[in-house]
Amino acid sequence: MTTTSFLDNSALLPSIQQANEKMKSTLGRIETSLSSQGYPLKKETYHFLTKVLEPSNRIERTLYMLLFQAAYQSEMLSAGSAYFAIRFANEFISQLLKIPNLTERNEVELMEVFEQVAGYWNKAVCTHSKNVTEEELKEEIRAISEDKELCEALLQAITVCGLEGKIHIEDSISNTYVVEQKSGYFFSSVKPFKFFIPALGLWEVTNPKVMLVDGVIEQVSELDKILNGALETKIPVLLIAHGFSEEVISTIKVNVDHGKFNIMPVRLTTELDSLNVLNDIATVCGAEIVSTLKGDMVCLVPFDSLPVVEKVKLTPRELNIENAKTRRGVSNQIRMLLEKRQEQQHISDLSDLIDKRIQGLLAASVALRLPNMPPSKRENTKVRIDVALRQAKTLLTNGRVDFSDAFCFGMSEDYSFCDPVANAFYATLLKLEFEEFQGKKIPSLTAWASVYLAGKAVVRLLTTGGLVVITD
């Protein structure tokens, strides 16, 4: 059952203040929490916040939902920033609620003031940001990983594949961490049928044929030559298309289960990221795309005409193709994409899509194999690896900043300090500096993104004319 209620400001603000004080008290009292798998959660992690801040009423649920959204966005930009975002929001709410007649001011006006003061803060952070040294990076990763061997393995993996490469975390039965450089090209814009993937979660074949169809395969008869060829030669086939009918999938599945042939049908996702990915796969495989949209007929494609690649590995989330003989073609494709990106660099969305395509064509990948360990410890290790890798990328890309230096510079540069919202903004930073971050060096992106995203959410929350609260 879902109930909906509306609260006006006379009832909303006192309730928010009460929920905010409870949130502050909870974060002050609890230092550690246990995950559902039984391993301890660090206070700086997003999972810790969602675990300890459990709402007990509608106002708390709504408040936490809004702040968790800002914290999650911040965490995706900079690892470990979720806690900073929540703490800033917590103190910012307290400071804003001290402003008389806050809700009588126009939301657009208050947001303009916030954007201005946040701009000064961004300038302060950028001015005092400094690149991290190799030793400082090691210290950060060592602190997050809490394991010397894991720290060394992570540093080695980063050195091998770089910031834009892929690091795959795999389980193993060895006694130590193993870092292995992998070859091949990776594509995530695929959607295999889960019931085709073996129980271990990996379909791996050597010297398979590849068929690419720019369209939907509707009839089994379209694949007669391919099915018969796979049946006679027992050569595995990777079959990629935009879609398959139920008849086609059921026919392939029955024959695969009976061991007659080994064919893996794979769909392309419908997301924006999958645009032109079929062309990139074709370049890697040295294959011609069968385009039903252009009038090509799948039924006329001979089995022998399909190209053979060295190795294919398919998981529910990713396709890996190894094929060294097409390196020159892949290099030309990357060069073309770089030129295209240069021409359209002013369009950020297109630049991001091209960057993802280039990343898939760069054969830089590392497998980090975990030693044999209990399930709870393994999950905890994977979480620490995720945070450490994202933190390393943030630090190497944006550097870090001394919180106190940035705060002092921001105070000296902001000439609009007479506005109550600006006063509340800097009072919040001052309190955070005094209580937790005095003299501490934090990632520059954390200092900026968490403050901006959390602050924006708070201003919108407190200046609304009322609030609709929905709960199940």
Side-chain angles (χ1 to χ4, degrees):
M1 176 180 176
T2 299
T3 57
T4 304
S5 60
F6 181 86
L7 295 177
D8 60 20
N9 281 323
S10 60
L12 174 63
L13 295 186
S15 299
I16 288 179
Q17 184 174 16
Q18 184 178 0
N20 191 54
E21 290 300 322
K22 179 182 176 182
M23 178 172 64
K24 182 178 179 180
S25 174
T26 301
L27 291 177
R29 287 185 295 104
I30 302 177
E31 291 294 329
T32 58
S33 179
L34 293 179
S35 71
S36 56
Q37 287 81 18
Y39 60 82
L41 296 169
K42 298 185 70 173
K43 191 171 185 177
E44 296 78 10
T45 62
Y46 177 79
H47 298 293
F48 171 86
L49 298 171
T50 57
K51 189 73 175 178
V52 302
L53 296 177
E54 296 183 354
S56 59
N57 57 52
R58 298 176 183 180
I59 294 296
E60 289 179 8
R61 178 175 297 184
T62 305
L63 175 63
Y64 293 171
M65 178 185 68
L66 294 173
L67 297 188
F68 285 163
Q69 184 179 17
Y72 180 79
Q73 291 173 339
S74 179
E75 182 70 22
M76 290 300 97
L77 292 172
S78 179
S81 64
Y83 175 76
F84 190 93
I86 292 293
R87 283 291 293 120
F88 179 85
N90 192 217
E91 294 296 341
F92 197 33
I93 290 174
S94 299
Q95 295 297 329
L96 287 176
L97 289 176
K98 297 177 183 178
I99 300 176
N101 304 321
L102 173 68
T103 56
E104 295 180 5
R105 296 184 64 178
N106 183 279
E107 179 183 351
V108 175
E109 174 195 349
L110 290 178
M111 193 59 71
E112 288 178 354
V113 175
F114 173 76
E115 292 281 357
Q116 184 179 11
V117 72
Y120 285 123
W121 174 245
N122 183 33
K123 180 180 178 182
V125 170
C126 292
T127 300
H128 287 274
S129 293
K130 296 180 180 179
N131 295 330
V132 293
T133 64
E134 183 178 351
E135 190 57 39
E136 289 171 337
L137 181 63
K138 287 182 179 180
E139 291 176 3
E140 289 285 346
I141 295 180
R142 190 177 297 116
I144 296 172
S145 61
E146 300 177 342
D147 184 328
K148 184 178 179 180
E149 289 186 6
L150 177 57
C151 175
E152 292 299 324
L154 288 171
L155 289 171
Q156 186 178 353
I158 294 172
T159 301
V160 172
C161 72
L163 293 179
E164 299 301 326
K166 293 180 179 290
I167 299 178
H168 302 267
I169 310 302
E170 301 176 359
D171 299 331
S172 74
I173 58 174
S174 64
N175 296 322
T176 185
Y177 293 96
V178 177
V179 176
E180 178 186 351
Q181 186 171 9
K182 302 175 69 175
S183 59
Y185 308 91
F186 293 85
F187 303 95
S188 57
S189 299
V190 293
K191 191 177 180 181
F193 296 91
K194 293 184 179 179
F195 48 85
F196 273 89
I197 302 293
L200 295 178
L202 174 66
W203 184 73
E204 182 176 355
V205 290
T206 303
N207 297 324
K209 285 182 172 289
V210 179
M211 183 175 187
L212 307 177
V213 180
D214 187 12
V216 178
I217 302 178
E218 299 282 359
Q219 304 292 332
V220 176
S221 57
E222 296 180 75
L223 293 173
D224 276 348
K225 293 184 178 181
I226 307 303
L227 300 182
N228 289 328
L231 176 64
E232 295 171 1
T233 64
K234 301 301 180 183
I235 297 176
V237 178
L238 173 66
L239 179 58
I240 301 178
H242 286 288
F244 302 87
S245 68
E246 291 184 7
E247 177 191 4
V248 171
I249 291 301
S250 60
T251 300
I252 295 176
K253 177 62 175 172
V254 169
N255 284 277
V256 167
D257 289 346
H258 284 82
K260 293 184 178 180
F261 50 59
N262 187 5
I263 296 179
M264 176 61 69
V266 177
R267 300 161 291 180
L268 293 173
T269 64
T270 56
E271 299 173 357
L272 193 61
D273 293 353
S274 66
L275 290 177
N276 295 315
V277 71
L278 200 62
N279 292 326
D280 296 335
I281 297 176
T283 301
V284 168
C285 298
E288 293 290 336
I289 299 176
V290 181
S291 178
T292 58
L293 302 177
K294 294 181 179 179
D296 296 340
M297 300 184 69
V298 176
C299 62
L300 298 180
V301 178
F303 183 79
D304 292 338
S305 69
L306 299 181
V308 175
V309 299
E310 295 173 7
K311 182 178 289 188
V312 168
K313 296 180 182 178
L314 180 69
T315 69
R317 295 183 179 181
E318 196 170 51
L319 170 66
N320 171 226
I321 301 174
E322 296 182 22
N323 199 30
K325 56 192 174 187
T326 57
R327 284 178 182 170
R328 179 172 296 180
V330 172
S331 298
N332 292 335
Q333 180 80 344
I334 293 174
R335 189 178 301 111
M336 183 272 293
L337 289 173
L338 288 172
E339 293 174 355
K340 188 174 181 180
R341 190 190 188 285
Q342 184 67 26
E343 295 172 358
Q344 306 192 21
Q345 59 182 345
H346 58 286
I347 307 176
S348 59
D349 290 343
L350 287 178
S351 297
D352 292 342
L353 289 176
I354 293 174
D355 286 343
K356 290 181 179 180
R357 290 181 63 188
I358 293 174
Q359 186 175 347
L361 293 173
L362 294 174
S365 176
V366 164
L368 174 56
R369 295 192 174 89
L370 307 182
N372 190 21
M373 59 180 68
S376 61
K377 185 177 180 181
R378 184 185 302 114
E379 292 303 315
N380 184 24
T381 301
K382 288 181 179 179
V383 170
R384 286 187 280 128
I385 290 173
D386 172 62
V387 175
L389 291 175
R390 290 191 293 113
Q391 184 78 296
K393 185 172 183 177
T394 298
L395 289 170
L396 290 172
T397 304
N398 303 102
R400 65 179 183 176
V401 64
D402 186 297
F403 188 88
S404 299
D405 289 346
F407 174 73
C408 294
F409 182 85
M411 288 280 289
S412 65
E413 287 290 309
D414 190 357
Y415 301 108
S416 63
F417 196 67
C418 57
D419 190 280
V421 174
N423 285 335
F425 183 92
Y426 281 112
T428 299
L429 291 178
L430 178 62
K431 192 161 187 179
L432 291 178
E433 183 207 19
F434 177 75
E435 292 183 353
E436 296 190 48
F437 300 100
Q438 187 171 19
K440 286 188 177 181
K441 294 180 179 180
I442 61 177
S444 301
L445 195 55
T446 294
W448 157 242
S450 55
V451 167
Y452 179 74
L453 292 170
K456 200 170 183 178
V458 168
V459 172
R460 285 176 172 168
L461 172 67
L462 297 184
T463 56
T464 183
L467 184 67
V468 175
V469 183
I470 301 176
T471 182
D472 293 326

